[in-house]
Amino acid sequence: MALRSKRSQAPKPIFRSKHADDYSEVYCEECGSGESPGELLLCDKCDKGFHLFCLRPILVSVPKGSWFCPSCSKQKMPNSFPLVQTKIIDFFRIQRSTESTQKLISDIQKKRKRSSSLVMSKKRRKLLPFNPIEDPERRLEQMRSLATALTASGTEFSNELTYRPSMALRSANQPALEKGGMQVLTKEDAETLYLCKRMMNRGEWPPLMVVFDPEEGFTVEADRFIRDLTIITEYVGDVDYLKNRENDDGDSMMTLLHAANPSQSLVICPDKRGNVARFINGINNHTQEGKKKQNLKCVRYDVNGECRVLLIANRDISKGERLYYDYNGYEHEYPTEHFV
């Protein structure tokens, strides 16, 4: 039950034009083709056409309201968040602590050694906590890069699942409702997850840098070597029922609960509140070259009676390597065939 769809049901693109009788004359400014008219989008200023998949970054669905092409919108690099420690600390609500990260990691390792010496069990690979960069100035740079991306996308930072009025209640998040059952995160791995959370609360950040790429938009790079099975981040945001979001044009929804009863299925929506997870891009899983890029896996767990989604390294990751995972699970409903 590992991978699920980043977006459970992407709505089919709709052709938009101010002149309903001009469909046959519309062509894409990027590729010059008039094919795939159902995926041609017209600029509301210059009336030129663009395939959703020819745009950079790609659009996976027709946006609501007016849309302007890159030339008319004067697309430019986003303004960087100020590299000021107090502003960054306030933005992420960093808490001061005297706890030593190395001591916390050492304590977890000791617990694991004691438990493994007492109980003979089938050998299982354990999840690892991320390893923060020691240089506090570099950590500020990492946090600033995320603050820049969140600010540019109008997103408030949150590192937890959030339950808002008029959306799903916390009581709706029940792993027992999962179709086919959900794997349970072990006590040891749960301790590792909570260690990662405590480190982030203190400003000891995962070694990640958010960068802006004109081809892919915001994307995430490893800022140091990351070992296989390292917890990168939890996928967080507002929790809502899938039935409320089936016609949503957001491109970052994640399945949280795939219930046997579809009316009980839940999704995570990070468009208003979220963390670095919403900027990690997906692979083109229609090509071998795209599949080779994948270095993370997306796994849904029952964590103390609540569904949670973790992004975990599925191999060693080199410094400077961009992070990618497969947006699709078993249902393959997310359109990735045009991804870069």
Side-chain angles (χ1 to χ4, degrees):
M1 305 298 293
L3 290 173
R4 302 306 305 169
S5 164
K6 186 179 185 187
R7 180 181 171 85
S8 293
Q9 290 187 349
K12 294 179 180 178
I14 307 165
F15 179 76
R16 297 168 63 241
S17 174
K18 295 176 183 177
H19 310 292
D21 56 351
D22 289 346
Y23 289 3
S24 61
E25 298 178 9
V26 176
Y27 63 91
C28 175
E29 295 293 322
E30 295 293 333
C31 69
S33 169
E35 295 181 2
S36 303
E39 298 188 58
L40 270 170
L41 182 64
L42 290 190
C43 174
D44 283 298
K45 184 174 182 181
C46 68
D47 236 12
K48 292 179 179 178
F50 296 83
H51 282 121
L52 297 173
F53 50 82
C54 286
L55 289 164
R56 293 294 182 269
I58 285 173
L59 288 180
V60 295
S61 60
V62 174
K64 291 178 181 177
S66 299
W67 176 81
F68 301 100
C69 71
S71 296
C72 293
S73 63
K74 297 182 175 62
Q75 193 176 54
K76 58 182 181 180
M77 288 284 290
N79 295 324
S80 293
F81 194 87
L83 187 58
V84 178
Q85 184 174 7
T86 53
K87 289 182 179 294
I88 291 172
I89 286 173
D90 289 344
F91 185 90
F92 291 109
R93 301 183 290 279
I94 302 299
Q95 302 167 8
R96 301 294 186 182
S97 174
T98 57
E99 284 184 294
S100 162
T101 298
Q102 290 306 315
K103 181 179 182 302
L104 289 169
I105 294 175
S106 176
D107 288 345
I108 282 184
Q109 289 172 341
K110 286 177 183 177
K111 285 181 181 178
R112 287 183 170 179
K113 285 178 182 178
R114 285 200 299 269
S115 63
S116 61
S117 63
L118 294 172
V119 181
M120 294 296 292
S121 61
K122 183 178 178 181
K123 188 173 181 181
R124 187 189 62 83
R125 300 175 72 197
K126 299 177 178 66
L127 299 183
L128 303 174
F130 60 76
N131 189 12
I133 283 179
E134 294 79 10
D135 181 2
E137 294 300 319
R138 188 60 180 174
R139 290 208 300 266
L140 277 180
E141 288 277 3
Q142 293 166 354
M143 287 189 277
R144 177 173 77 158
S145 73
L146 176 55
T148 296
L150 290 170
T151 302
S153 59
T155 307
E156 178 187 336
F157 173 72
S158 173
N159 208 28
E160 304 290 343
L161 294 176
T162 46
Y163 299 87
R164 312 292 296 181
S166 77
M167 295 188 189
L169 299 174
R170 183 183 293 272
S171 58
N173 186 354
Q174 298 183 39
L177 299 176
E178 174 73 15
K179 185 177 181 180
M182 183 177 291
Q183 60 184 316
V184 177
L185 191 67
T186 67
K187 183 179 179 182
E188 290 177 336
D189 286 343
E191 288 176 351
T192 301
L193 172 61
Y194 295 136
L195 167 62
C196 292
K197 296 281 188 177
R198 292 200 299 274
M199 286 194 291
M200 289 192 69
N201 287 342
R202 294 199 304 272
E204 294 177 351
W205 222 245
L208 307 173
M209 192 70 75
V210 185
V211 297
F212 184 79
D213 183 301
E215 295 283 306
E216 299 186 40
F218 285 111
T219 187
V220 181
E221 295 179 352
D223 205 28
R224 79 179 311 169
F225 173 79
I226 298 174
R227 291 175 60 191
D228 184 18
L229 287 180
T230 295
I231 295 176
I232 302 298
T233 187
E234 180 180 0
Y235 205 99
V236 300
D238 294 337
V239 178
D240 201 359
Y241 288 105
L242 171 61
K243 61 186 178 183
N244 295 341
R245 298 283 180 152
E246 286 185 334
N247 296 315
D248 197 304
D249 67 348
D251 64 350
S252 300
M253 283 194 297
M254 170 70 79
T255 300
L256 177 63
L257 173 62
H258 184 59
N261 179 349
S263 68
Q264 296 175 309
S265 292
L266 300 176
V267 290
I268 303 170
C269 309
D271 52 325
K272 298 290 191 297
R273 279 157 286 276
N275 61 9
V276 71
R278 72 161 296 180
F279 302 112
I280 298 177
N281 285 332
I283 61 167
N284 180 337
N285 58 12
H286 293 262
T287 67
Q288 281 301 118
E289 201 59 37
K291 291 176 182 178
K292 287 179 184 177
K293 286 184 176 182
Q294 183 174 352
N295 47 25
L296 303 183
K297 58 183 177 180
C298 175
V299 191
R300 294 184 301 126
Y301 286 108
D302 174 347
V303 183
N304 296 327
E306 184 178 46
C307 305
R308 308 275 284 274
V309 180
L310 303 184
L311 295 181
I312 300 166
N314 67 351
R315 61 171 173 81
D316 289 346
I317 302 172
S318 303
K319 179 180 178 181
E321 191 176 342
R322 289 192 176 173
L323 305 187
Y324 294 95
Y325 68 104
D326 191 346
Y327 283 3
N328 284 304
Y330 304 123
E331 62 275 9
H332 293 285
E333 288 179 346
Y334 197 95
T336 69
E337 63 269 22
H338 299 297
F339 279 20
V340 176

